[in-house]
């Protein structure tokens, strides 16, 4: 997956009229890193629930943890204050892939599921809790809100998790059988990056 994303980032730079430039494509390790951090501080029986007295803006990150947000990793990405959105492949439970399209200007996560199952939104929100709770603190720690150029849309700094919504299946191509969710997630990333209105 990450090898293909590296190629796609190269395409993005080479064909600026085809692919959106103000969007970053992240590797699968980013979501995994946030999941590791969440499991480290959260009791096993509290999956999907914020720890007591949690403040989404106060969690402290090391310089290594923030390299992705600063645009240093993966190679080919830009600092987040220079883009409007990031696409994050999420491996749920080590078994299933879906795509998180994060709108940094409004602080919202749009989930694109290539093989929609009857999973309640609340469950999906718990599965991407690490994104919801950690992204605000990462943006805050690198000064995202103050670094946005004058005149550009800025996400209002708020001490609360990012919102989550599910993109309708009418706007997301659906795979017809299991086992291909990783490949379909890559296809979704390319379609979104190319700003396709119809994802066939």
């Amino acid at each position: 997956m990450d090898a293909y994303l590296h190629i796609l980032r190269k395409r993005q730079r080479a064909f600026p009229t085809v692919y959106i430039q103000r969007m970053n494509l992240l590797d699968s390790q980013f979501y995994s890193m946030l999941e590791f951090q969440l499991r480290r501080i959260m009791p096993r029986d509290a999956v999907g629930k914020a720890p007591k007295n949690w403040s989404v803006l106060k969690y402290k990150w090391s310089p290594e943890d923030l390299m992705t947000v600063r645009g240093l990793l993966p190679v080919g990405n830009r600092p987040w204050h220079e883009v409007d959105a990031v696409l994050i492949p999420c491996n749920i439970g080590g078994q299933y892939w879906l795509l998180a399209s994060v709108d940094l200007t409004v602080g919202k996560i749009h989930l694109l599921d290539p093989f929609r199952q009857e999973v309640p939104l609340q469950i999906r929100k718990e599965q991407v809790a690490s994104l919801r709770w950690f992204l605000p603190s990462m943006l805050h720690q690198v000064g995202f809100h103050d670094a946005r150029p004058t005149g550009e849309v800025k996400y209002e700094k708020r001490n609360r998790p990012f919102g989550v919504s599910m993109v309708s299946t009418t706007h997301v191509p659906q795979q017809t059988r299991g086992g291909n969710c990783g490949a379909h997630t890559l296809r979704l990333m390319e379609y979104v990056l190319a700003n396709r209105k119809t994802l066939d």
Side-chain angles (χ1 to χ4, degrees), residues 46-50 111 118-129 132-133 164-166:
V47 176
K49 298 178 182 179
L111 295 179
E118 295 301 322
V119 179
L121 176 60
Q122 182 58 36
I123 299 298
R124 289 296 189 213
K125 290 171 72 173
E126 292 174 3
Q127 290 171 338
V128 296
R132 299 184 64 227
W133 296 341
V164 176
S165 68
M166 292 296 300

mmCIF file of all heavy atoms in Angstrom, residues 46-50 111 118-129 132-133 164-166:
data_model
loop_
_atom_site.group_PDB
_atom_site.id
_atom_site.type_symbol
_atom_site.label_atom_id
_atom_site.label_comp_id
_atom_site.label_asym_id
_atom_site.label_seq_id
_atom_site.Cartn_x
_atom_site.Cartn_y
_atom_site.Cartn_z
ATOM 1 N N ALA A 46 -11.991 0.588 27.917
ATOM 2 C CA ALA A 46 -12.521 1.923 27.635
ATOM 3 C C ALA A 46 -12.370 2.295 26.171
ATOM 4 O O ALA A 46 -12.229 3.463 25.826
ATOM 5 C CB ALA A 46 -11.813 2.959 28.516
ATOM 6 N N VAL A 47 -12.406 1.311 25.279
ATOM 7 C CA VAL A 47 -12.255 1.576 23.853
ATOM 8 C C VAL A 47 -13.347 2.524 23.382
ATOM 9 O O VAL A 47 -14.528 2.304 23.623
ATOM 10 C CB VAL A 47 -12.312 0.264 23.037
ATOM 11 C CG1 VAL A 47 -12.258 0.567 21.554
ATOM 12 C CG2 VAL A 47 -11.164 -0.637 23.437
ATOM 13 N N GLY A 48 -12.934 3.580 22.716
ATOM 14 C CA GLY A 48 -13.900 4.536 22.178
ATOM 15 C C GLY A 48 -14.319 5.619 23.156
ATOM 16 O O GLY A 48 -15.099 6.488 22.808
ATOM 17 N N LYS A 49 -13.784 5.598 24.388
ATOM 18 C CA LYS A 49 -14.141 6.609 25.375
ATOM 19 C C LYS A 49 -12.902 7.411 25.752
ATOM 20 O O LYS A 49 -11.852 6.861 26.020
ATOM 21 C CB LYS A 49 -14.714 5.942 26.626
ATOM 22 C CG LYS A 49 -15.990 5.146 26.372
ATOM 23 C CD LYS A 49 -16.461 4.471 27.649
ATOM 24 C CE LYS A 49 -17.702 3.628 27.380
ATOM 25 N NZ LYS A 49 -18.178 2.938 28.598
ATOM 26 N N ALA A 50 -13.063 8.717 25.765
ATOM 27 C CA ALA A 50 -11.927 9.560 26.124
ATOM 28 C C ALA A 50 -11.581 9.381 27.602
ATOM 29 O O ALA A 50 -12.472 9.211 28.435
ATOM 30 C CB ALA A 50 -12.262 11.020 25.848
ATOM 31 N N LEU A 111 -15.537 9.516 6.391
ATOM 32 C CA LEU A 111 -15.108 8.136 6.196
ATOM 33 C C LEU A 111 -15.688 7.582 4.906
ATOM 34 O O LEU A 111 -16.893 7.646 4.670
ATOM 35 C CB LEU A 111 -15.542 7.271 7.378
ATOM 36 C CG LEU A 111 -14.906 7.593 8.732
ATOM 37 C CD1 LEU A 111 -15.450 6.668 9.803
ATOM 38 C CD2 LEU A 111 -13.390 7.510 8.655
ATOM 39 N N GLU A 118 -23.135 -3.112 7.638
ATOM 40 C CA GLU A 118 -24.101 -2.486 8.538
ATOM 41 C C GLU A 118 -23.444 -2.219 9.887
ATOM 42 O O GLU A 118 -23.725 -2.876 10.880
ATOM 43 C CB GLU A 118 -25.335 -3.370 8.680
ATOM 44 C CG GLU A 118 -26.119 -3.541 7.392
ATOM 45 C CD GLU A 118 -26.609 -2.199 6.845
ATOM 46 O OE1 GLU A 118 -27.004 -1.331 7.662
ATOM 47 O OE2 GLU A 118 -26.592 -2.018 5.620
ATOM 48 N N VAL A 119 -22.538 -1.229 9.878
ATOM 49 C CA VAL A 119 -21.839 -0.859 11.104
ATOM 50 C C VAL A 119 -22.346 0.510 11.541
ATOM 51 O O VAL A 119 -22.268 1.470 10.777
ATOM 52 C CB VAL A 119 -20.314 -0.808 10.878
ATOM 53 C CG1 VAL A 119 -19.608 -0.393 12.161
ATOM 54 C CG2 VAL A 119 -19.791 -2.153 10.400
ATOM 55 N N PRO A 120 -22.886 0.640 12.753
ATOM 56 C CA PRO A 120 -23.392 1.937 13.226
ATOM 57 C C PRO A 120 -22.300 3.005 13.225
ATOM 58 O O PRO A 120 -21.119 2.705 13.435
ATOM 59 C CB PRO A 120 -23.868 1.635 14.656
ATOM 60 C CG PRO A 120 -24.102 0.166 14.678
ATOM 61 C CD PRO A 120 -23.088 -0.425 13.744
ATOM 62 N N LEU A 121 -22.701 4.251 13.001
ATOM 63 C CA LEU A 121 -21.749 5.350 12.977
ATOM 64 C C LEU A 121 -20.979 5.434 14.295
ATOM 65 O O LEU A 121 -19.782 5.733 14.299
ATOM 66 C CB LEU A 121 -22.470 6.671 12.702
ATOM 67 C CG LEU A 121 -21.599 7.933 12.741
ATOM 68 C CD1 LEU A 121 -20.485 7.857 11.704
ATOM 69 C CD2 LEU A 121 -22.448 9.180 12.526
ATOM 70 N N GLN A 122 -21.640 5.174 15.409
ATOM 71 C CA GLN A 122 -20.961 5.249 16.710
ATOM 72 C C GLN A 122 -19.783 4.281 16.777
ATOM 73 O O GLN A 122 -18.732 4.603 17.335
ATOM 74 C CB GLN A 122 -21.947 4.968 17.847
ATOM 75 C CG GLN A 122 -21.329 5.086 19.238
ATOM 76 C CD GLN A 122 -20.726 6.451 19.495
ATOM 77 O OE1 GLN A 122 -21.245 7.472 19.055
ATOM 78 N NE2 GLN A 122 -19.612 6.473 20.214
ATOM 79 N N ILE A 123 -19.949 3.101 16.186
ATOM 80 C CA ILE A 123 -18.848 2.135 16.168
ATOM 81 C C ILE A 123 -17.710 2.654 15.320
ATOM 82 O O ILE A 123 -16.528 2.555 15.692
ATOM 83 C CB ILE A 123 -19.317 0.770 15.640
ATOM 84 C CG1 ILE A 123 -20.414 0.182 16.550
ATOM 85 C CG2 ILE A 123 -18.155 -0.205 15.512
ATOM 86 C CD1 ILE A 123 -19.970 -0.095 17.954
ATOM 87 N N ARG A 124 -18.021 3.220 14.160
ATOM 88 C CA ARG A 124 -16.982 3.792 13.304
ATOM 89 C C ARG A 124 -16.253 4.930 14.023
ATOM 90 O O ARG A 124 -15.029 5.064 13.912
ATOM 91 C CB ARG A 124 -17.590 4.301 11.991
ATOM 92 C CG ARG A 124 -18.053 3.207 11.041
ATOM 93 C CD ARG A 124 -16.903 2.362 10.575
ATOM 94 N NE ARG A 124 -17.285 1.444 9.512
ATOM 95 C CZ ARG A 124 -16.774 0.250 9.343
ATOM 96 N NH1 ARG A 124 -15.862 -0.209 10.207
ATOM 97 N NH2 ARG A 124 -17.150 -0.516 8.330
ATOM 98 N N LYS A 125 -16.980 5.734 14.769
ATOM 99 C CA LYS A 125 -16.356 6.830 15.509
ATOM 100 C C LYS A 125 -15.382 6.286 16.554
ATOM 101 O O LYS A 125 -14.310 6.865 16.780
ATOM 102 C CB LYS A 125 -17.428 7.692 16.173
ATOM 103 C CG LYS A 125 -18.249 8.505 15.180
ATOM 104 C CD LYS A 125 -19.434 9.172 15.830
ATOM 105 C CE LYS A 125 -19.039 10.304 16.712
ATOM 106 N NZ LYS A 125 -20.221 11.065 17.206
ATOM 107 N N GLU A 126 -15.742 5.161 17.170
ATOM 108 C CA GLU A 126 -14.840 4.543 18.134
ATOM 109 C C GLU A 126 -13.601 3.980 17.437
ATOM 110 O O GLU A 126 -12.492 4.034 17.973
ATOM 111 C CB GLU A 126 -15.567 3.440 18.889
ATOM 112 C CG GLU A 126 -16.666 3.953 19.805
ATOM 113 C CD GLU A 126 -17.471 2.842 20.443
ATOM 114 O OE1 GLU A 126 -17.123 1.653 20.210
ATOM 115 O OE2 GLU A 126 -18.437 3.140 21.169
ATOM 116 N N GLN A 127 -13.790 3.457 16.221
ATOM 117 C CA GLN A 127 -12.669 2.856 15.490
ATOM 118 C C GLN A 127 -11.654 3.907 15.030
ATOM 119 O O GLN A 127 -10.484 3.581 14.860
ATOM 120 C CB GLN A 127 -13.198 2.062 14.301
ATOM 121 C CG GLN A 127 -13.947 0.798 14.715
ATOM 122 C CD GLN A 127 -14.654 0.132 13.568
ATOM 123 O OE1 GLN A 127 -14.954 0.747 12.543
ATOM 124 N NE2 GLN A 127 -14.929 -1.163 13.701
ATOM 125 N N VAL A 128 -12.104 5.126 14.808
ATOM 126 C CA VAL A 128 -11.174 6.198 14.405
ATOM 127 C C VAL A 128 -11.020 7.223 15.528
ATOM 128 O O VAL A 128 -10.707 8.381 15.282
ATOM 129 C CB VAL A 128 -11.623 6.877 13.089
ATOM 130 C CG1 VAL A 128 -11.587 5.896 11.939
ATOM 131 C CG2 VAL A 128 -13.009 7.507 13.230
ATOM 132 N N ALA A 129 -11.229 6.768 16.777
ATOM 133 C CA ALA A 129 -11.112 7.674 17.930
ATOM 134 C C ALA A 129 -9.736 8.312 18.007
ATOM 135 O O ALA A 129 -9.601 9.465 18.406
ATOM 136 C CB ALA A 129 -11.422 6.916 19.224
ATOM 137 N N ARG A 132 -9.809 11.357 15.876
ATOM 138 C CA ARG A 132 -10.699 12.374 16.426
ATOM 139 C C ARG A 132 -10.042 13.109 17.600
ATOM 140 O O ARG A 132 -10.140 14.331 17.715
ATOM 141 C CB ARG A 132 -11.994 11.740 16.911
ATOM 142 C CG ARG A 132 -12.807 11.040 15.824
ATOM 143 C CD ARG A 132 -14.127 10.534 16.375
ATOM 144 N NE ARG A 132 -14.940 11.649 16.809
ATOM 145 C CZ ARG A 132 -15.577 11.705 17.977
ATOM 146 N NH1 ARG A 132 -15.466 10.711 18.841
ATOM 147 N NH2 ARG A 132 -16.306 12.755 18.282
ATOM 148 N N TRP A 133 -9.379 12.356 18.491
ATOM 149 C CA TRP A 133 -8.859 12.948 19.714
ATOM 150 C C TRP A 133 -7.461 13.514 19.573
ATOM 151 O O TRP A 133 -7.092 14.452 20.283
ATOM 152 C CB TRP A 133 -8.861 11.899 20.829
ATOM 153 C CG TRP A 133 -10.232 11.433 21.188
ATOM 154 C CD1 TRP A 133 -11.420 12.065 20.926
ATOM 155 C CD2 TRP A 133 -10.568 10.233 21.876
ATOM 156 N NE1 TRP A 133 -12.467 11.328 21.405
ATOM 157 C CE2 TRP A 133 -11.984 10.191 21.995
ATOM 158 C CE3 TRP A 133 -9.828 9.180 22.396
ATOM 159 C CZ2 TRP A 133 -12.655 9.161 22.621
ATOM 160 C CZ3 TRP A 133 -10.501 8.138 23.010
ATOM 161 C CH2 TRP A 133 -11.893 8.136 23.128
ATOM 162 N N VAL A 164 -17.199 13.310 12.841
ATOM 163 C CA VAL A 164 -17.092 12.200 11.896
ATOM 164 C C VAL A 164 -18.411 12.051 11.150
ATOM 165 O O VAL A 164 -19.489 12.181 11.737
ATOM 166 C CB VAL A 164 -16.771 10.866 12.612
ATOM 167 C CG1 VAL A 164 -16.759 9.709 11.626
ATOM 168 C CG2 VAL A 164 -15.450 10.948 13.337
ATOM 169 N N SER A 165 -18.320 11.794 9.842
ATOM 170 C CA SER A 165 -19.505 11.464 9.053
ATOM 171 C C SER A 165 -19.138 10.353 8.082
ATOM 172 O O SER A 165 -17.967 10.172 7.736
ATOM 173 C CB SER A 165 -20.022 12.688 8.286
ATOM 174 O OG SER A 165 -19.100 13.065 7.274
ATOM 175 N N MET A 166 -20.139 9.595 7.657
ATOM 176 C CA MET A 166 -19.952 8.544 6.660
ATOM 177 C C MET A 166 -20.388 9.074 5.300
ATOM 178 O O MET A 166 -21.475 9.629 5.170
ATOM 179 C CB MET A 166 -20.784 7.309 7.010
ATOM 180 C CG MET A 166 -20.343 6.560 8.253
ATOM 181 S SD MET A 166 -18.698 5.827 8.135
ATOM 182 C CE MET A 166 -18.904 4.731 6.737
#
